[in-house]
Amino acid sequence: MSHTLSNLTVKVWRQDGPNAVGRFETHVIESITDEASFLEMLDVLNERLISQGKEAVVFDHDCREGICGTCSLMINGQAHGPQRATTTCQLHMRSFKSNDTIVIEPWRAGAFPIVKDLMVNRSAFDRIVESGGYITSPTGGAPDANLIPVPKPVADAAMDSAACIGCGACVAACPNGAANLFVGAKIAHLNLLPQGQAERYRRAEAMVDTMDEHFGSCTNHGECSAACPKEISLDVIALMNKDYRSAKFKNRKELSRN
Amino acid sequence: MTMLENRPTTNAKLNSKVPSGALSEKWDTFKANAKLVNPNNKRKFKVIVVGTGLAGASAAATLAELGYQVDAFTFHDSPRRAHSIAAQGGINAAKNYQGDGDSVSRLFTDTIKGGDFRSREANVYRLAQVSVNIIDQMVAQGVPFAREYGGLLDNRSFGGAQVSRTFYARGQTGQQLLLGAYQQLSRQIGLGGVRLFNRCELVDIVVIDGRAAGIVTRDLLTGQVTSHAAHAVVLATGGYGNVYFLSTNAMNCNVTAAWRAHRRGAYFANPCYTQIHPTCIPQADETQSKLTLMSESLRNDGRVWVPKNADETRPAHQIPEAERDYFLERLYPSYGNLAPRDISSRAAKRLVDKGQGVGPLKNGVYLDFSAAIARLGRNVVEERYGNLFEMYERIAGENPYDVPMRIYPATHYTMGGLWVDYELQTTIPGLYAAGEANFSDLGANRLGASALMQGLADGYFVLPYTISNGLAPLLNKSVPGVDHPEFKRVEAEARSRYEGYINVKGTRSPDYFHRELGKIIWDYCGMERDRNGLEKAISEIPALYDEFKKDLRVTGTGEGMNQTLEKAGRVDDFFQLGMLMCKDALAREESAGGHFRVEYQTDEGEAQRDDENFCHVAAWEWTGDANEATRHAEELSFETLQLATRSYK
Ligand SMILES: Cc1cc2nc3c(=O)[nH]c(=O)nc-3n(C[C@H](O)[C@H](O)[C@H](O)COP(=O)(O)OP(=O)(O)OC[C@H]3O[C@@H](n4cnc5c(N)ncnc54)[C@H](O)[C@@H]3O)c2cc1C
Ligand code: SF4
Ligand code: FES
C-alpha cells in the first residue's frame, strides 16, 4: 500500500559548469507518494523550479530500470543511495521517511569532471574499453556459434562480470578514485571465455595501462564492490592483477621474439 | 473522410528495388550484382552513422572495418547507453540447434504471420537468412549467451512461435549484445576508423540536389550547432514509442532524427503501427515517468489470470482455482500464455475495462509463478528469471516468489518508421535508415526477440553491402562540403528553432505538454482505435500544439547543458508525429497487428484485415504540415505464402 511522505529537505549540488564553483541548494518537498522513484522526486522538484522560472537541476538518467548505467547520484554520501544492489533510478521513496534530509551530490572523482550540477563526464571508461576491452572479430568471419563450446560455469562466471553497467559508482565510492572494479569486470568477462584467450594478455596490459593514466590506484578498501549495483565481486580485481602480471612477462617475451 | 479520399496514390519514389528471382535467391542475387568499392578507395568515402544502438554500432564498426571513414553520433554520453541495452528477453535465429523443426523458411513464415501480412516478403526472408550469422558474430565477440551443461548454446521459446529459437543472456540479452557491438565499435574508435561524437544530437538533415549531403547537430554540452558533410548518412536512431509519454522506452528516446528527415523529404511509413507489450508493471501513481517491462519470456512459465468476480477482494493466494479466469489459456488453447503480444494485450485490457483488474488501482492482471515454482522448484525459476523478479520487487515493493506479479500492457516498440527500400535507403538518396528507426521488416506487429535480430541484421549484414552499392558510382566525384550555403541555411534554421523555444517564455514545461500529448495519443491511438476517437485526437492535438508554441517555458540558456531545452525540441517533433499517427490510423480502415480498429473486428473480437484495400505500406510525404501529409502506398504481394487470417486458437 502506498503512503505519503511529507516535509523532505533536499540539499542538492548546483554547479554551473566544469570550472564553476559549486554550492548546495536546499529545497523542501512538502509531500510525495512513496511509490515515486527517487528520480521522479527530482522530476517533481524540476517541474517546480521551471514553474518558478529557475533552471532545472541537471542530472544524468535514461532507462530508469537499472540497466543503462546513466544515472549516477551520491545520496547521503552513498553512491546510488542506501539500497543494496540498486541503481539510483531503481531507488524508490519507500527507502526514506517523512522529515528526512537528503543530500544529493554528483560522483566525485578526478577522472570524472563535473559537467553541470549532478552530471559528470565518464568518457575515461570508454577510453579504457577502446584500448583493449574487446575481442577482435571483424564482421563476417565468425565460425558457427556451436563450434566454440563454453562450459556452463564458465559462461555463468563471464556473465556475472559482464553484468557491469559502467555506471562508475565503484570509482565514486573509492577513496582513491580507482576504477579497478570496472576494469576487472571487463577483463574477467573476456578473459574467462575461450573466445577471449588469443588477446588475453595484450588486453590485460593495455586496459590496465590506460586505466592507470586516468584513475587512482587501488589500495584494497573494497568500497567499490559494496557500492556496485550489480554486485560485481572483488575477485575480478584479483583476476585482473594476475593476468596483468603474467602479461608483463608474456608480452615482453613475445616482443623479444618479433 | 470517404473511402475514396483514402485511396492512396502510388508514387515512383516508392520503388522497393526488390531483386527478381525466387525468394530464397534474392539476397544472393543482390550481393552478386551489387557494385563494390575497392579496398583502397573505401577510405575516400565518409559515412555518417547516427545512433550507436545495436543497428548503429554494428553498422559503424563494420563499415570502419571495411575501410570507410565513419563519423558516429549519439546523444548519450557513451555509445553503450543506447536504448538497446534495455532489451531483456532474447534474440531469434533460425539455427535449429534444438532440432525442433526450425528453419529459415519457418522463421520467415512466423515473422510474416506475426506481422499480420503487412511486411515486405523479400526483406523478411533476408532477415531470416542472416539471423544465423548474427549469432555466430555475437558469440565470436564474447557475448555470454546462456549455455547447456555440455557447453552448447541454450534456447527458449517466445510468443508467436512453436519452436525454441530464442538465444538469451539471462534477462539481459540486449545489454550483452549491445556491449558486444559497442566493444567492436570501441576497437574501431581506438584504431581511428571511427570518430565518435557523443552527447551530440542530430537536429536536421541537409539535402542538396536531391541527395543527403550531411547533418546538422547540436552539441549538448555547449549548445553549439555544427554541420557535418558525408557521402552517405545512416539513421539508426531507434523508435518513437515515447510519443505516448509513458512507455517502456528509455526517457531520452525520441523521434527527432527520423522526423527531421521526414520533413526534408523522407517518407514516413505506417506510423500507426505501434506495439503494446502485455507484460509491464502497471502505473502506480501520477508522478510516474515511465513504465517498466517485465520480459515476455516470463510468460513461458507464468500463468496469466484475473479473478472471475469483479468485486473480488481476497489476496491472490486465497482465491480458489475455480474462481480464477486463466483467460489466455481459455481463449487461445494452443498458444495459451504465449499468444502474441497484441492479442494478449487486448485480452487483458478487455478484462480490466470490465472491472476485473487487480491491484490497488485495479489496473493490472496477475502473472502467477506458483505452478512453475511447484513444478520446477524455486531454484530453477530463480535461475531463469532471478534478476527480473528482483527488478519487480524493487519497483512494485512485492516479492513475486510469494505473490503473483501484476502486469498490464504498455507501449513498447514502434513498427512504423522511415520508409526504406530493399537497400534500406529512404526516399532521400544517400540517406539510409536501420533498426527500429526504419519501418521495419516486422509488419504490423513484431514478434518477441525479433527487434534485436532486425537491428543487428541491418547493421552487420545488410547495410555494408547496400551502402557500397550506393557509394561506388560516386567515386572521385566531388560532394558538397559544409561551406555549401544550404548547410549554412539549415544551421541557421536550427539555431533559431532552439532560440525560439527559449523565447516563448510561457508558463508550462516541456514535460507538461509531453504528458498531455501522451494522454491523447494513448486514449485515441493506443491499444484500440476508432473513427470518433481518432477524429477527436486530430482536432485536439493541434490545439494543444498551439498552446505549446505560445505557453512553453524553457528556463536557462541555449549555451551549455540544458536538458529542458533538449526536451522542448523533442516534444515539438512528437506533436507533429502524433498528428501523423492519428491520420494514418484513421486512414487505415482495417485492423492489422498492433493497429486495432474497433470497427474492424471478427465476431470473436479479433483483428479483421482488409486485404483487398489495405494490403499495402502507407508512406506519408511531408507537405509542410503534419495534418496535411500526402499518403502514398507500396503494394505488398506474397509469392510463397497465402494471405491468411492470423489464428492463435
Ligand atoms: C524494455 C525493452 C525490452 C526489449 N526487449 C527486447 C527483446 O527481448 N528482444 C528484442 O528483439 N527486442 C526487444 N526490445 C526492442 C529492441 O530493444 C529495440 O527495438 C532495439 O534495441 C532498437 O535498437 P536500435 O539500434 O534501432 O535503436 P536504439 O538502441 O534505441 O539506439 C538509438 C541510438 O540513436 C541515438 N540517437 C537517437 N536520436 C538521435 C539524435 N537525434 N541524434 C543523435 N543520436 C541519436 C541514441 O543515442 C542511440 O545511440 C525491447 C525494447 C524495450 C523498450
Ligand atoms: S563495476 Fe559496478 S559500480 Fe563499477 S561501473 Fe560496473 S556496475 Fe558500476
Ligand atoms: S537510468 Fe539507466 S541505470 Fe539508472
Side-chain angles (χ1 to χ4, degrees), chain A residues 8-251:
Chain A
L8 296 171
T9 304
V10 179
K11 294 191 172 171
V12 51
W13 185 258
R14 302 302 301 259
Q15 180 172 333
D16 294 340
N19 303 314
V21 183
R23 67 207 177 271
F24 279 106
E25 205 175 78
T26 304
H27 298 277
V28 176
I29 305 280
E30 288 79 15
S31 101
I32 188 153
T33 157
D34 70 350
E35 297 271 356
S37 72
F38 192 81
L39 295 183
E40 284 162 358
M41 184 271 291
L42 284 180
D43 292 343
V44 169
L45 173 63
N46 274 343
E47 281 294 293
R48 192 161 86 195
L49 289 172
I50 294 171
S51 73
Q52 295 168 348
K54 298 186 186 137
E55 267 193 71
V57 179
V58 170
F59 63 93
D60 249 333
H61 66 102
D62 197 22
C63 73
R64 296 206 176 181
E65 47 188 73
I67 193 72
C68 72
T70 312
C71 62
S72 42
L73 298 178
M74 267 311 207
I75 302 167
N76 290 338
Q78 280 178 290
H80 289 308
Q83 196 175 338
R84 185 193 60 84
T86 302
T87 54
T88 301
C89 60
Q90 293 287 82
L91 186 65
H92 278 66
M93 296 310 290
R94 300 181 200 107
S95 299
F96 299 89
K97 301 186 303 294
S98 291
N99 305 314
D100 274 357
T101 296
I102 307 174
V103 181
I104 312 173
E105 293 171 85
W107 285 170
R108 298 202 188 271
F112 293 163
I114 291 179
V115 169
K116 189 168 179 177
D117 296 343
L118 302 171
M119 179 186 276
V120 299
N121 177 350
R122 284 167 286 187
S123 294
F125 271 5
D126 291 319
R127 300 295 93 76
I128 298 173
V129 175
E130 286 156 18
S131 73
Y134 47 75
I135 292 171
T136 299
S137 170
T139 307
D144 184 88
N146 258 349
L147 277 179
I148 318 166
V150 182
K152 188 171 181 328
V154 174
D156 285 346
M159 181 64 216
D160 287 340
S161 308
C164 162
I165 57 175
C167 62
C170 45
V171 177
C174 173
N176 305 324
N180 291 46
L181 196 66
F182 167 78
V183 180
K186 186 49 43 190
I187 288 180
H189 160 209
L190 298 174
N191 284 10
L192 286 170
L193 289 171
Q195 304 93 300
Q197 295 314 305
E199 291 163 298
R200 176 172 190 162
Y201 297 105
R202 207 200 69 77
R203 173 180 309 118
E205 185 170 6
M207 289 182 77
V208 172
D209 288 347
T210 311
M211 170 178 86
D212 289 342
E213 284 170 29
H214 296 273
F215 292 88
S217 35
C218 171
T219 48
N220 300 316
H221 283 272
E223 294 290 339
C224 50
S225 187
C228 173
K230 299 297 147 181
E231 303 187 292
I232 303 290
S233 144
L234 288 172
D235 295 349
V236 300
I237 301 184
L239 184 122
M240 170 177 79
N241 289 339
K242 184 172 123 297
D243 277 9
Y244 183 70
R245 276 193 306 274
S246 314
K248 281 290 175 203
F249 176 68
K250 290 199 163 79
N251 293 352

Side-chain angles (χ1 to χ4, degrees), chain B residues 161-402:
Chain B
Q162 287 174 317
V163 293
S164 285
R165 62 159 77 96
T166 304
F167 294 79
Y168 65 102
R170 293 199 188 141
Q172 291 127 278
T173 314
Q175 178 197 31
Q176 293 311 315
L177 293 172
L178 183 61
L179 291 180
Y182 155 73
Q183 286 162 200
Q184 193 180 351
L185 172 65
S186 293
R187 174 168 173 264
Q188 286 305 317
I189 295 170
L191 293 171
V194 175
R195 283 198 302 172
L196 175 70
F197 295 78
N198 63 331
R199 292 208 200 261
C200 189
E201 176 154 292
L202 177 151
V203 292
D204 218 332
I205 311 274
V206 179
V207 180
I208 298 174
D209 297 332
R211 208 188 143 77
I215 64 173
V216 169
T217 59
R218 187 169 171 275
D219 182 327
L220 301 183
L221 295 176
T222 62
Q224 204 170 5
V225 172
T226 316
S227 291
H228 307 265
H231 294 84
V233 176
V234 177
L235 299 185
T237 47
Y240 53 85
N242 273 351
V243 66
Y244 291 96
F245 187 76
L246 284 181
S247 86
T248 64
N249 284 13
M251 297 295 289
N252 295 309
C253 292
N254 66 81
V255 75
T256 290
W259 192 256
R260 292 286 141 187
H262 173 57
R263 292 178 50 122
R264 295 281 170 204
Y267 289 5
F268 207 106
N270 301 331
C272 79
Y273 288 167
T274 57
Q275 182 168 71
I276 310 293
H277 194 289
T279 53
C280 305
I281 304 178
Q283 179 169 5
D285 69 88
E286 73 291 350
T287 64
Q288 190 103 18
S289 56
K290 73 157 292 187
L291 297 170
T292 300
L293 173 95
M294 289 283 101
S295 170
E296 178 171 35
S297 62
L298 291 167
R299 291 200 280 148
N300 272 307
D301 290 306
R303 297 178 71 197
V304 178
W305 63 278
V306 291
K308 284 185 178 159
N309 178 0
D311 301 321
E312 183 59 65
T313 52
R314 287 169 290 180
H317 69 274
Q318 287 176 10
I319 302 174
E321 281 294 314
E323 293 174 39
R324 301 175 176 194
D325 180 6
Y326 292 91
F327 55 93
L328 291 178
E329 296 171 21
R330 170 171 60 82
L331 293 165
Y332 310 103
S334 65
Y335 283 76
N337 294 295
L338 288 175
R341 293 180 171 178
D342 51 333
I343 289 178
S344 313
S345 297
R346 281 197 300 275
K349 178 182 189 315
R350 286 181 188 146
L351 289 162
V352 168
D353 287 350
K354 276 192 356 209
Q356 281 172 270
V358 300
L361 304 178
K362 293 191 75 120
N363 61 351
V365 299
Y366 286 129
L367 178 62
D368 193 338
F369 291 88
S370 51
I373 293 171
R375 177 168 40 97
L376 303 163
R378 189 182 153 125
N379 285 353
V380 175
V381 172
E382 188 169 342
E383 165 99 349
R384 287 188 190 161
Y385 310 112
N387 68 319
L388 295 171
F389 277 37
E390 277 174 35
M391 185 180 203
Y392 180 86
E393 187 173 358
R394 262 185 230 117
I395 294 170
E398 290 175 346
N399 178 349
Y401 292 103
D402 301 334

